[in-house]
Amino acid sequence: MAEKESMETRPLTRDVETDGDEEMPEEHSLGVETPRRRKQNHIRYSLSVLTLVILPNIVSALAGAFIFHAWWQTEHLGPRCAAYTSQYSPVVEEARVTYSPTNFNGSFMQEDVFRRRGSPEVDAAWESLGVNYRAGVISHKEGLRSGLTTAHVQRADKYGGGFFVNVEGLHHLHCLDLVRKALYYNYPYYKAMGKHAFLNDDKILELHVSHCLDTVRQVLMCNADTGVLGQVWYNKEEPEAFPDFKTTHQCKNFDAIRKWAEEHQEPEVESLPPDYMRIPNPEDILAETP
């Protein structure tokens, strides 16, 4: 009878079986916060607090790092890349040269305005690129840093001094524009107009066009694009492979460069005083064009 009463007064347990008088583990006592259970609860609470406090901070830090990386690329990596891959020029900093992904229009059958036959509309499109901008002026210090010498043409000191310059990229586009005008299907149109390069006789025009063609060749070789062209299928009846010229490139912000050149243009030659240019030293005058 005593044994029965002893069995009835034992504390209830959960998920633990006991035999006879086996002592119940301390942590399984119902309703009693043992030291071990208290420690476990404390650990769980601490982990919960750390999760709630630290996780948002980690997410914020990662987001901030991503934003900083994008800002750093725009503000520093772009100008550094441009400065490293080209001759020094004040344009890099003053025009805030940056890079961004740009999709090329590589359509083969559909012509955009730059590809069409010569017309006022086509000429206006090319002119909008700055292909015929006048020279601008940069300071004497910036000119020397850009690779110019005192033998290059300068503005007279009384008008502020400095070197007369053109942005090379716009000269390259000027050359491409002239090659376009000299194409067999455009030549009669522009020859009849008799403007710009077409004012010259055929031999000088030929030299001008070949100079431009070779300039574009050298630019393309100097800046050889290492991207790759894939191929696509066309013609559903008899599928054939054809290069996919619609590719993505990291391109400079051309409009900012063009705007710099536009804003730095000097006035028309006709409106400049006769003493606007510094008189050259005799030894700086070349016997013929370079």
Side-chain angles (χ1 to χ4, degrees):
M1 185 68 178
E3 182 179 353
K4 182 178 181 181
E5 291 178 355
S6 175
M7 290 288 291
E8 290 177 349
T9 57
R10 287 179 182 174
L12 296 176
T13 61
R14 182 171 47 190
D15 299 326
V16 176
E17 295 182 357
T18 61
D19 293 326
D21 295 329
E22 183 178 351
E23 186 176 351
M24 183 64 60
E26 185 181 38
E27 62 269 25
H28 290 287
S29 298
L30 184 63
V32 178
E33 186 178 26
T34 65
R36 181 171 181 177
R37 180 175 294 178
R38 187 161 47 246
K39 183 178 180 180
Q40 290 175 338
N41 290 339
H42 179 71
I43 292 174
R44 292 192 189 98
Y45 176 78
S46 299
L47 290 175
S48 300
V49 171
L50 288 174
T51 301
L52 292 173
V53 173
I54 294 178
L55 186 60
N57 290 334
I58 293 175
V59 173
S60 299
L62 291 174
F66 177 80
I67 295 172
F68 175 81
H69 179 68
W71 170 84
W72 190 85
Q73 282 189 312
T74 301
E75 297 295 324
H76 297 280
L77 187 58
R80 287 188 179 186
C81 181
Y84 180 76
T85 57
S86 62
Q87 177 74 4
Y88 171 81
S89 167
V91 179
V92 172
E93 293 183 1
E94 295 179 14
R96 298 181 64 80
V97 172
T98 59
Y99 290 81
S100 61
T102 303
N103 296 322
F104 277 19
N105 177 5
S107 175
F108 188 80
M109 301 298 291
Q110 302 298 322
E111 293 183 319
D112 60 22
V113 66
F114 296 100
R115 294 174 54 185
R116 297 172 192 159
R117 289 175 178 265
S119 70
E121 179 188 15
V122 173
D123 291 342
W126 280 88
E127 287 285 340
S128 71
L129 301 179
V131 296
N132 290 316
Y133 280 173
R134 299 182 302 278
V137 173
I138 61 175
S139 70
H140 187 267
K141 178 181 178 181
E142 292 285 9
L144 295 178
R145 192 178 176 190
S146 299
L148 305 181
T149 71
T150 54
H152 285 89
V153 179
Q154 300 177 59
R155 184 169 58 181
D157 290 339
K158 65 183 291 186
Y159 297 105
F163 291 92
F164 291 97
V165 296
N166 291 88
V167 177
E168 281 219 63
L170 298 190
H171 171 250
H172 301 154
L173 284 172
H174 159 82
C175 274
L176 187 60
D177 186 35
L178 180 58
V179 172
R180 172 190 71 86
K181 292 177 177 179
L183 295 173
Y184 78 92
Y185 56 81
N186 279 332
Y187 179 82
Y189 175 80
Y190 290 105
K191 186 62 176 177
M193 290 177 65
K195 296 181 178 180
H196 303 298
F198 292 87
L199 284 169
N200 303 122
D201 61 45
D202 287 348
K203 182 57 180 177
I204 298 299
L205 176 60
E206 180 181 337
L207 289 172
H208 195 166
V209 172
S210 64
H211 150 77
C212 278
L213 178 65
D214 205 43
T215 296
V216 174
R217 174 191 66 80
Q218 293 176 79
V219 171
L220 292 175
M221 291 177 65
C222 179
N223 300 283
D225 196 328
T226 53
V228 295
L229 293 170
Q231 298 186 7
V232 294
W233 293 106
Y234 80 103
N235 190 355
K236 291 185 177 298
E237 296 181 358
E238 295 183 14
E240 299 180 56
F242 192 80
D244 181 10
F245 298 110
K246 295 182 177 181
T247 52
T248 301
H249 302 254
Q250 288 291 332
C251 297
K252 293 178 181 176
N253 49 337
F254 174 79
D255 283 341
I257 298 171
R258 180 203 57 76
K259 186 176 180 181
W260 185 96
E262 180 182 26
E263 293 175 347
H264 282 74
Q265 289 182 102
E266 286 295 282
E268 297 280 359
V269 174
E270 294 77 11
S271 64
L272 297 176
D275 61 346
Y276 195 70
M277 292 184 180
R278 178 184 292 181
I279 299 175
N281 296 319
E283 64 271 19
D284 292 334
I285 303 175
L286 304 177
E288 58 185 15
T289 58

